[in-house]
Amino acid sequence: MNKIALALILLILPFSLVHTSPRKKVGIVLSGGGAKGVAHIGVIKALEELNIPIDYIAGTSIGAIIGGLYSIGYTSEQLEIIVKQTDWIDLLTDKVSRKEIPFPFKSDNSKYLISFPINNNGKNGGIIKGKNISQLLHQLTEGYQNVTNFDSLPIPFACIATDMVRNQKEVIRFGKLSEAMRASMAVPVVFSPIYSGKKVLIDGGFKDNLPIDVVKAMGADIIIGIDVQSELSDADNLHSIAGIANQLMLMICQSSLDESTKDIDAYIKVDVENYNAASFTKAAIDTLIIRGKNAAKANYNALLSIKNKAGIVNNEKNNKAKLPLFYPQYTPSDENQLRIGLRFDSEDIAAVILNINLNKQKFGKAEIAARGGKQSFLRTQYHLPISKPQWITFSNQIGYNDIFLYNHGHKVSNPTFIRNTSSLTYSVIPSKNLQMEVGASLDYHRYYRTLASEDVTPMKRKNLFLNYHTRLEYETFNKKYFPTKGLKTNISYTIYTNLQTNTAYSSFATQVTKIFPITLNTFIIPTIYGRFIFNDDIPFIYSNVIGGEGYNLHYEQQIPFSGLIHTEFTLKLLGNAQIQVRHKFHEKQYLTLSGNYAIHKNQFSNFLQGKKIYGTSIGYGYDSLLGPIEGFICYSNRSNQLGFFLNVGFNF
C-alpha cells in the first residue's frame, strides 16, 4: 500500500511543480532618441493591452525618463497626458513660462537680455542649465524623492549615464530618482552635466543606448528591447553641420547595438522616419505614439511567444496604481546673477540696464540695478519674505530725468531734475497671477529746469512728498510682448502729501486689457485706461500724462496712446479706450493696427463733452532673441502729422 501511495506522489509531483512554479520575469529596455522617445509610450500601451507584465525597466536618456516615471506608478495614459501638455520648447530651455511666474517676479523675467551666474560654484558646463526639466522631474517624482534604492520602486528601475571623468558607462540604481533621469539625458554642451562627487555625468547614449545587459543583471529572464533611434543618413543628407553632428551622435549610439540585441527575446524597432530629437510638436507626439503602438503590434507573434515562455496566463494583468499628475510650479531662482538689458528707440536713442541679483531664499533677495541713458537711475532693493505668499520690500532709487514735453505736437518744455524715492511696500500674493500691495514712499525732487507749459502747475526747485498707495494687479498674459491670450487688470489709489506745504492730493487709476482670439493667428485686444485726480493744482510730476507706446514710459502714471510718440500732459480726469487688431503672419512676426480715443476734462459733470484726442497707428513687430523689435507709423489729431517710432529691446 505504501508503495502505491509513493508511486502516486511521484506521478503527481511534476504536474504540481509546473502549476506552482513562479512565472519568469519580464524586463523592458528603452533606448534614447530625444523627442522620438515618446514612441515608448505607444509600445507600453500595446504591452498593457496584451497583459504582459513589466517586472524590470532600464532606460537611457528619454528612455530613462519614460521608464523612470512608469516605474513609480504613472500609467501609459498619464505619460501621454504629460508629454502632450508639457511646453517642451520652454522646458528644454532655462526660460520659465510667463503664466507660471507669480508676482513680483513677472517684470523681472521680461526685462533682461542675458544673465551670468555669480559665485554659483561654477558648475554650468552647458548652454542650458536644465532648471526647468529638473524641476519637472522633481515634481513628477513627488512621493519617491526620499527613495534611494531603485530596486524598491514599484517596478525596479535602472538608467544609464556616461561618466566623463572615467570615460565609462555609469549604471544608476541608487540615489535621487529625478537626478538620475536628468543625468541620463544630459546631452553634452547642450545641457549642463550632473556633478556627483568626482563624477561628471552626461547622456548615457554615448556608452549604451540600449542597456540590455543591465536589465538582465537586474533579474529579468525575458527581455523586450525598444529602439527609437534613427537610421544613419545617406550622403545626400550630410551637407550641413547639423546633419553631420546628428550622424556622429547616431554612430556613437549604435556602436554596440548590434551585439547587444542578440540577448533579447523581442526587438521592437519603431519607425521614426521624418522625425528628430527635437520633434516635440503635438502632431509629432501623436504620430510617434501611434507608431510605437504599431511597432509593437508588428511583433505580435514574438510577444505572444514571450507570454507563453514566461508562463503568463491570459487573465494576468499588470495592475498599476495611478499616481496623481504633478505639473511644474515656479520657484524663485536661488542663483546669484548679473543681468543685462539693452534697448534702442527713436525717442530715448539708447539705454542699458545692469542688475545684480543676490538670492538667499531664507533671507530674501537683494538687488542693485543701474540704468544708463537719458533717464538714468541707481536702485537698491531688498525683498524680505514673511511667509510664502507675503513680502516686504525696501527700495531706494535715485534718478536723473531729462524729459521733453509737448503740446499739440510742439516741444514746449524740457524739465530736468533729480528724483530720489525711498519706499516700503507690503505685498500679498494669494495666487501666481494676483498681487495685492500697500506701501509708503518718501519722494524728493530737485529741479534744474522747470516747466513753462500753462497746462500744468510749475514746481519749486526742491520738493518733498510723503506718498501712500494701495494696488491690486492681476495678469494672465502668456507673454509680456505680443501676448496671444490672457487678461490684465491694474487698479490703484494713491495719496500724495507735500511735506513743505501740508497739501494733499489723490488719484485713482485703472487698466483692463483682454485678448480675444478671432482665428488661430488673429486677435482683438481692447484696453480701457483711466486716471482721475481729485484735487486742483496737483504738481506736474503726478499729473496725468499720455503718449508713447509703453505703459509707465517716463512717468509712473504715463498712459500709452497710439498716435502719440511723445509725452503730453492732460487735464485731471482722463479716460482712454484703445483697441488693437494683431495678426501673426509668420513665426514670431506680427502686424498690429491700433486705434485710440481719449477724453480729458477737469470736472466729472458732462465728462463725455470734454476734450477729445484720437489717434491710430500701424506697426510691425518681431519677437527676436534680442527682445521685441517694433516699428510704428502713427497719426493723432493732437499733432496733425505722421509720426514714426522704432524700438529694439526690452522695456525697463
Side-chain angles (χ1 to χ4, degrees):
M1 189 71 182
N2 289 336
K3 291 182 178 179
I4 295 173
L6 180 61
L8 288 172
I9 292 172
L10 292 173
L11 183 65
I12 295 171
L13 184 60
F15 295 97
S16 172
L17 291 173
V18 168
H19 290 284
T20 60
S21 62
R23 67 168 177 82
K24 294 182 178 180
K25 300 295 184 179
V26 179
I28 64 171
V29 185
L30 310 179
S31 81
K36 297 170 292 183
V38 301
H40 290 310
I41 298 172
V43 178
I44 293 173
K45 278 179 176 286
L47 297 179
E48 290 175 341
E49 291 176 1
L50 288 170
N51 293 327
I52 298 178
I54 298 171
D55 303 298
Y56 301 99
I57 302 175
T60 299
S61 198
I62 185 69
I65 295 175
I66 300 293
L69 295 178
Y70 193 78
S71 74
I72 62 174
Y74 287 103
T75 65
S76 58
E77 289 80 7
Q78 288 180 312
L79 292 174
E80 184 173 357
I81 292 172
I82 292 171
V83 299
K84 285 183 176 181
Q85 294 190 1
T86 297
D87 188 339
W88 289 94
I89 302 301
D90 285 345
L91 186 68
L92 299 177
T93 66
D94 293 323
K95 179 182 177 182
V96 181
S97 174
R98 180 174 176 80
K99 66 181 181 181
E100 299 296 335
I101 302 175
F103 290 98
F105 309 106
K106 281 187 185 287
S107 62
D108 275 1
N109 197 56
S110 306
K111 191 181 294 182
Y112 303 102
L113 176 62
I114 53 177
S115 63
F116 303 96
I118 303 174
N119 295 328
N120 291 323
N121 68 34
K123 296 180 178 180
N124 299 304
I127 299 171
I128 302 168
K129 297 175 185 176
K131 295 186 294 183
N132 292 339
I133 185 68
S134 294
Q135 184 170 285
L136 175 64
L137 295 176
H138 177 78
Q139 291 172 352
L140 288 174
T141 54
E142 187 79 32
Y144 291 91
Q145 295 170 355
N146 295 323
V147 176
T148 57
N149 185 346
F150 300 167
D151 286 343
S152 63
L153 298 175
I155 301 176
F157 170 73
C159 64
I160 308 303
T162 301
D163 181 7
M164 295 185 70
V165 176
R166 299 176 297 147
N167 190 25
Q168 292 182 4
K169 178 170 77 174
E170 183 76 10
V171 180
I172 307 176
R173 298 178 65 181
F174 301 91
K176 190 174 182 179
L177 179 60
S178 60
E179 190 171 284
M181 293 188 290
R182 166 67 176 83
S184 185
M185 52 77 62
V187 179
V189 182
V190 178
F191 286 98
S192 292
I194 294 297
Y195 298 87
S196 178
K198 295 184 177 182
K199 300 176 182 178
V200 180
L201 303 178
I202 61 171
D203 195 302
F206 286 92
K207 287 298 180 182
D208 194 351
N209 206 40
L210 195 66
I212 294 165
D213 61 324
V214 174
V215 79
K216 187 176 182 179
M218 294 170 69
D221 303 301
I222 296 173
I223 300 172
I224 302 171
I226 307 165
D227 184 8
V228 297
Q229 299 175 94
S230 300
E231 300 293 338
L232 293 173
S233 299
D234 55 27
D236 293 336
N237 296 313
L238 295 176
H239 295 292
S240 67
I241 295 176
I244 292 174
N246 184 64
Q247 188 85 336
L248 286 171
M249 188 70 174
L250 289 172
M251 290 166 61
I252 294 171
C253 293
Q254 292 187 359
S255 59
S256 61
L257 183 61
D258 293 338
E259 190 67 28
S260 62
T261 55
K262 296 178 181 179
D263 298 325
I264 60 178
D265 299 272
Y267 174 61
I268 299 175
K269 175 66 176 176
V270 182
D271 175 17
V272 294
E273 187 177 359
N274 298 325
Y275 295 100
N276 56 47
S279 298
F280 282 111
T281 65
K282 186 180 183 303
I285 290 172
D286 287 337
T287 302
L288 286 166
I289 291 176
I290 292 171
R291 287 189 182 184
K293 194 171 183 178
N294 290 339
K297 290 180 177 179
N299 289 269
Y300 185 75
N301 292 332
L303 294 174
L304 285 181
S305 176
I306 284 175
K307 288 186 69 173
N308 295 328
K309 184 178 179 182
I312 301 168
V313 296
N314 286 330
N315 61 355
E316 182 176 355
K317 294 189 178 182
N318 188 7
N319 295 316
K320 289 172 57 67
K322 288 189 178 182
L323 288 179
L325 289 175
F326 290 88
Y327 293 98
Q329 301 293 318
Y330 178 81
T331 54
S333 173
D334 60 355
E335 293 183 329
N336 300 327
Q337 295 176 316
L338 170 64
R339 302 183 292 185
I340 302 174
L342 302 169
R343 183 167 64 88
F344 167 87
D345 68 49
S346 53
E347 187 173 3
D348 275 355
I349 308 301
V352 60
I353 188 169
L354 300 176
N355 176 282
I356 298 176
N357 194 330
L358 304 175
N359 290 280
K360 297 291 182 182
Q361 291 190 9
K362 292 183 178 180
F363 304 102
K365 180 173 74 170
E367 289 187 73
I368 301 174
R371 182 191 191 275
K374 289 180 66 176
Q375 320 304 326
S376 306
F377 66 72
L378 175 65
R379 179 176 65 239
T380 56
Q381 193 164 261
Y382 177 66
H383 300 279
L384 176 65
I386 301 176
S387 62
K388 191 172 182 180
Q390 301 180 75
W391 294 75
I392 291 179
T393 301
F394 306 89
S395 176
N396 187 83
Q397 177 171 308
I398 182 170
Y400 176 81
N401 299 77
D402 183 7
I403 302 170
F404 288 108
L405 298 175
Y406 292 76
N407 185 22
H408 292 85
H410 301 288
K411 191 183 297 182
V412 295
S413 182
N414 179 209
T416 304
F417 57 97
I418 290 177
R419 182 176 183 179
N420 188 90
T421 304
S422 302
S423 63
L424 174 64
T425 304
Y426 169 75
S427 302
V428 179
I429 311 170
S431 71
K432 62 188 177 186
N433 297 314
L434 178 65
Q435 176 175 265
M436 296 178 287
E437 175 184 294
V438 294
S441 62
L442 192 64
D443 203 2
Y444 171 78
H445 314 96
R446 179 182 176 90
Y447 290 85
Y448 297 95
R449 283 195 292 269
T450 57
L451 291 172
S453 174
E454 60 183 14
D455 294 331
V456 294
T457 303
M459 295 290 288
K460 297 179 179 180
R461 290 289 180 180
K462 298 179 182 179
N463 298 270
L464 184 64
F465 292 87
L466 180 61
N467 304 329
Y468 310 90
H469 78 270
T470 181
R471 182 182 294 113
L472 176 69
E473 294 181 88
Y474 179 81
E475 186 196 312
T476 59
F477 284 173
N478 58 336
K479 296 186 287 186
K480 181 176 177 63
Y481 299 99
F482 313 113
T484 56
K485 58 182 177 182
L487 169 70
K488 181 176 182 179
T489 303
N490 188 325
I491 301 172
S492 66
Y493 179 75
T494 307
I495 298 173
Y496 312 94
T497 305
N498 191 323
L499 297 181
Q500 296 166 303
T501 63
N502 293 319
T503 307
Y505 315 89
S506 63
S507 71
F508 172 82
T510 184
Q511 174 196 357
V512 180
T513 303
K514 175 67 177 168
I515 300 175
F516 296 94
I518 305 302
T519 67
L520 184 63
N521 294 312
T522 305
F523 314 89
I524 293 180
I525 310 171
T527 303
I528 296 176
Y529 301 96
R531 189 169 187 263
F532 309 112
I533 299 169
F534 301 107
N535 310 86
D536 295 326
D537 300 325
I538 190 169
F540 99 93
I541 194 68
Y542 305 126
S543 297
N544 286 333
V545 184
I546 197 169
E549 296 291 340
Y551 197 63
N552 300 343
L553 188 62
H554 296 309
Y555 298 89
E556 295 176 4
Q557 70 276 19
Q558 185 170 343
I559 292 175
F561 190 91
S562 297
L564 289 176
I565 60 173
H566 49 260
T567 304
E568 295 199 9
F569 287 103
T570 67
L571 301 177
K572 294 192 307 177
L573 310 175
L574 172 63
N576 179 17
Q578 180 188 76
I579 187 164
Q580 291 185 324
V581 179
R582 178 177 295 149
H583 179 69
K584 183 178 180 181
F585 64 91
H586 196 268
E587 184 69 23
K588 297 186 176 182
Q589 298 188 64
Y590 303 85
L591 184 67
T592 303
L593 179 64
S594 302
N596 259 128
Y597 186 81
I599 300 175
H600 62 119
K601 202 170 184 292
N602 276 328
Q603 296 85 28
F604 280 108
S605 60
N606 299 318
F607 177 73
L608 296 179
Q609 303 302 316
K611 296 183 179 181
K612 310 294 194 302
I613 309 174
Y614 59 82
T616 186
S617 69
I618 183 169
Y620 163 84
Y622 176 59
D623 195 2
S624 76
L625 294 176
L626 298 176
I629 299 174
E630 299 174 279
F632 294 92
I633 298 175
C634 57
Y635 173 84
S636 170
N637 68 328
R638 195 76 171 178
S639 60
N640 288 317
Q641 59 183 9
L642 289 176
F644 176 76
F645 177 78
L646 175 66
N647 175 77
V648 180
F650 301 97
N651 287 335
F652 46 79

